[in-house]
Amino acid sequence: MTLAMICVVVGWFLGGFTSGVAGFGAMMVALPILTLGLPPAQAVLVSCIVGAPSCAHLAWLYHKDVVWADMRWLWVGCVPGCVAGAYVLKIVPMHILQLAISIMIVCFVVLQLVREKSTWRLPDSTASLLITGLAGGFTNSSISVPGVPIGIFVMLKRWDKDRARAAMSMFFFLSSWVTLASQWYVGLYNFDMLYMALGGIVISFLGQDLGYRVGRHLNQKTFVRFMLIFLSSAAVILFYKSMQ
């Protein structure tokens, strides 16, 4: 087994486990490991191939907790966001996108820590759902971190962990397949990437099943802390990659 394949298998088992526990985070866990054996751009694309069937499996695990009224406008915004991200990736350097999004995350996390006891929540509106869907689709197909916009959204909404995990997993289900189709359409894939992704798909399913069993015992306070840790880690990783 080559180093690249080992990185894909290890990265996506850990990524699958993380997403099974929390409903998000697979890409952010898997990508740094994949880049140990693959060029960054290729690691992103292989992860997108693995991510589509993995997100379908995750959506099935959490589908009983979905509030379908939440999903309609998130999905409507997601599709043009994915298409836009795929085209932007062809013309804007990835490190610029990574730096901009890392700065955005830092601002949000700092605000959450400063206002930890605040009871304010994002009001229900079609606009907020559309914007979140657009942003999630864009970041998924450009730098493979759809969890950042949707994670910020569910924290501002103060949803309970089951509703949040179900919404995120169902959003990732659509965004991952639209991203895959968009990137395929603009010619970003080749056969070697498809071959490497096969092992990641199988092992990610196993990781998700294990993580889902663990995640059933996660309480709300731990879930919120997990979200903040995830977002903070995403900011650090994206900033580091943007400096390379």
Side-chain angles (χ1 to χ4, degrees):
M1 185 179 289
T2 65
L3 175 61
M5 185 61 76
I6 291 172
C7 291
V8 170
V9 169
V10 173
W12 271 98
F13 175 77
L14 296 176
F17 177 80
T18 302
S19 63
V21 170
F24 64 92
M27 287 284 194
M28 289 306 302
V29 172
L31 267 178
I33 299 173
L34 265 66
T35 56
L36 297 176
L38 292 167
Q42 190 174 6
V44 168
L45 294 171
V46 170
S47 290
C48 287
I49 300 171
V50 177
S54 296
C55 288
H57 182 240
L58 188 66
W60 170 254
L61 291 175
Y62 281 109
H63 76 280
K64 292 181 181 179
D65 296 312
V66 174
V67 178
W68 290 105
D70 298 336
M71 301 312 306
R72 178 175 53 188
W73 296 111
L74 284 172
W75 278 353
V76 169
C78 171
V79 175
C82 288
V83 175
Y87 277 100
V88 168
L89 185 59
K90 290 179 72 74
I91 57 177
V92 178
M94 186 178 291
H95 72 275
I96 298 295
L97 296 171
Q98 290 170 331
L99 179 60
I101 292 172
S102 69
I103 292 172
M104 178 193 72
I105 299 169
V106 168
C107 292
F108 173 77
V109 171
V110 169
L111 184 62
Q112 290 299 300
L113 294 175
V114 169
R115 302 181 59 185
E116 186 177 4
K117 299 184 183 301
S118 172
T119 58
W120 183 86
R121 62 181 289 275
L122 183 67
D124 294 332
S125 71
T126 299
S128 66
L129 290 165
L130 279 171
I131 292 170
T132 301
L134 186 69
F138 179 86
T139 57
N140 190 40
S141 61
S142 59
I143 59 173
S144 294
V145 286
V148 169
I150 194 72
I152 290 174
F153 175 77
V154 299
M155 287 195 69
L156 290 176
K157 296 291 289 185
R158 300 186 182 276
W159 283 347
D160 68 80
K161 64 182 180 66
D162 293 329
R163 183 177 180 182
R165 287 187 299 193
M168 288 189 290
S169 63
M170 200 59 67
F171 177 82
F172 300 152
F173 165 66
L174 178 66
S175 67
S176 63
W177 284 101
V178 175
T179 292
L180 187 64
S182 301
Q183 291 175 338
W184 184 283
Y185 180 76
V186 299
L188 295 177
Y189 292 123
N190 58 50
F191 179 77
D192 289 339
M193 294 178 192
L194 297 174
Y195 174 75
M196 281 188 289
L198 290 177
I201 292 169
V202 174
I203 202 68
S204 71
F205 282 16
L206 298 177
Q208 285 175 338
D209 285 335
L210 179 60
Y212 177 72
R213 293 184 176 90
V214 174
R216 286 183 295 184
H217 305 289
L218 200 69
N219 62 39
Q220 184 67 20
K221 190 173 183 179
T222 303
F223 176 74
V224 171
R225 287 177 177 172
F226 198 103
M227 290 286 291
L228 286 173
I229 292 170
F230 163 73
L231 290 170
S232 300
S233 300
V236 171
I237 292 169
L238 289 172
F239 181 79
Y240 173 75
K241 289 182 175 298
S242 72
M243 296 294 105
Q244 291 182 318

